[in-house]
Amino acid sequence: MTRSPITRAMIPAAGAGTRLLPATKVVPKELMPLIDRPVIQWAVEEAVASGVEDLLIVTSRGKSLMADHFDRNFELEHLLESRGKTRELEAVRAVGEAVRLYYTRQAEPLGIGHAVLQGASHIGRQPFGVLLPDDVMTGPSPVWGQLAAHYRPGVCVVAAMPVPRAEASRYGIATGTMKGGVMEVEHLVEKPPLKDVASDPAWALLGRYVLDEGIFDVLRDLPPGAGGEIQLTDALAVRAGEGRLLAVAFDGVRYDVGDKLGYIKAVVAAALAEPDLGPAVSRYLRELRESDLP
Ligand code: G1P
């Protein structure tokens, strides 16, 4: 396992989750379950497995259930204990124990860059991580830790994945030469129009970042970007212009669980990976394939 010297990270979790409405009208999208763990817990566990010890979750109005999820629930623990449900009890207790969790709120939906700025005083002047929980990442080692292994003072590091040019307008797109899985990013644009994307595939940024301590100053000076929001990608574009941005082609798979199809894929993959469940799910998928699907 890759452990990082960077021990602070942030999870922006203030977004509305409009692509999964009405399911996300009351339940925050980050609490949608992937089998028996909500989406945000996957990001928390990835951060912890990468060496993060202090994690700030940026929430918004109506999303306090997330804090409840990571809190102790003595009544439930007592019930499980009295019924001898040891495995469930351990799972429930482990949820909030692995890391120091802090919460702050983003009062207005002004973008990921703005959400990150809400953590400036908590993080202080030190490098830190950002994990977007909509991007569920699995791999042979924790993906954020893979990025942190490439950190050196003064640079930022982002996760990158090749995507077909036709899909490039959904992502932050990096240009530069990828060598041995690492690119010194020359140019970076948030959700560019297709006419501005020359390469196929294109290198898309995904929601894992290692940011240098100066990034807050860059974010504070940014004008609104794509969608009228303060974009983290625009701050990173400044770093790219200074030759201080690395993009890492991580080893793993990413699921966009804010999207219906991505969510279904993540649920199936998570089920297949569970020792107790995987073989039965695999059999079911085979049955489905052999039946007359619509
Ligand atoms: C965010 C980032 C974008 C990145 C994407 C990956 O966009 O702004 O650069 O490519 O996550 O999931 P969002 O999907 O929040 O619009």
Side-chain angles (χ1 to χ4, degrees):
M1 182 170 57
T2 323
R3 291 197 79 82
S4 138
I6 303 170
T7 55
R8 287 199 174 187
M10 209 190 272
I11 297 185
T18 48
R19 289 180 293 171
L20 294 180
L21 280 169
T24 48
K25 187 177 164 202
V26 175
V27 177
K29 63 174 173 171
E30 296 82 3
L31 288 184
M32 297 283 284
L34 294 183
I35 317 297
D36 52 8
R37 280 176 293 155
V39 159
I40 192 166
Q41 198 175 326
W42 290 67
V44 169
E45 286 177 6
E46 179 189 330
V48 171
S50 302
V52 169
E53 292 165 5
D54 175 307
L55 193 51
L56 177 71
I57 300 183
V58 184
T59 70
S60 57
R61 203 164 57 87
K63 299 185 94 174
S64 44
L65 276 179
M66 271 189 292
D68 289 346
H69 174 71
F70 290 106
D71 206 352
R72 294 291 295 268
N73 180 336
F74 294 107
E75 212 177 321
L76 176 63
E77 288 175 27
H78 178 71
L79 182 85
L80 293 171
E81 204 163 5
S82 67
R83 295 195 177 163
K85 293 194 177 284
T86 324
R87 223 177 77 177
E88 290 82 353
L89 179 63
E90 274 167 17
V92 163
R93 275 199 184 136
V95 163
E97 271 180 357
V99 64
R100 287 194 300 278
L101 283 170
Y102 300 88
Y103 300 88
T104 191
R105 285 199 185 195
Q106 183 185 24
E108 294 172 85
L110 296 179
I112 296 172
H114 181 261
V116 169
L117 260 181
Q118 308 314 302
S121 59
H122 179 87
I123 298 287
R125 285 201 82 79
Q126 59 179 298
F128 64 101
V130 171
L131 296 89
L132 304 186
D134 273 6
D135 285 330
V136 168
M137 311 283 236
T138 58
S141 66
V143 171
W144 186 80
Q146 293 179 32
L147 301 194
H150 288 274
Y151 171 79
R152 52 177 200 268
V155 303
C156 291
V157 189
V158 296
M161 171 182 88
V163 297
R165 181 179 170 273
E167 293 173 15
S169 302
R170 293 191 216 158
Y171 299 96
I173 296 295
T175 23
T177 312
M178 185 63 82
K179 250 195 263 159
V182 183
M183 173 197 286
E184 284 193 14
V185 180
E186 288 159 14
H187 192 62
L188 185 65
V189 193
E190 179 69 5
K191 307 199 171 85
L194 269 195
K195 64 173 179 48
D196 294 348
V197 182
S199 63
D200 194 2
W203 283 100
L205 251 60
L206 295 182
R208 296 294 180 275
Y209 311 83
V210 180
L211 303 176
D212 72 282
E213 62 272 24
I215 206 74
F216 295 119
D217 300 332
V218 180
L219 281 167
R220 271 188 209 101
D221 287 346
L222 279 182
E229 298 183 341
I230 305 292
Q231 296 290 352
L232 180 57
T233 306
D234 293 347
L236 292 168
V238 171
R239 287 287 180 261
E242 297 162 343
R244 292 166 59 188
L245 180 66
L246 300 178
V248 171
F250 62 95
D251 188 7
V253 183
R254 168 261 189 176
Y255 302 94
D256 175 9
V257 298
D259 166 76
K260 284 179 190 164
L261 182 58
Y263 177 72
I264 291 166
K265 287 182 183 174
V267 169
V268 173
L272 288 171
E274 294 247 336
D276 298 356
L277 206 56
V281 174
S282 173
R283 266 198 306 282
Y284 175 60
L285 292 177
R286 221 170 298 126
E287 276 166 35
L288 271 185
R289 210 172 37 213
E290 285 157 13
S291 68
D292 292 329
L293 287 175

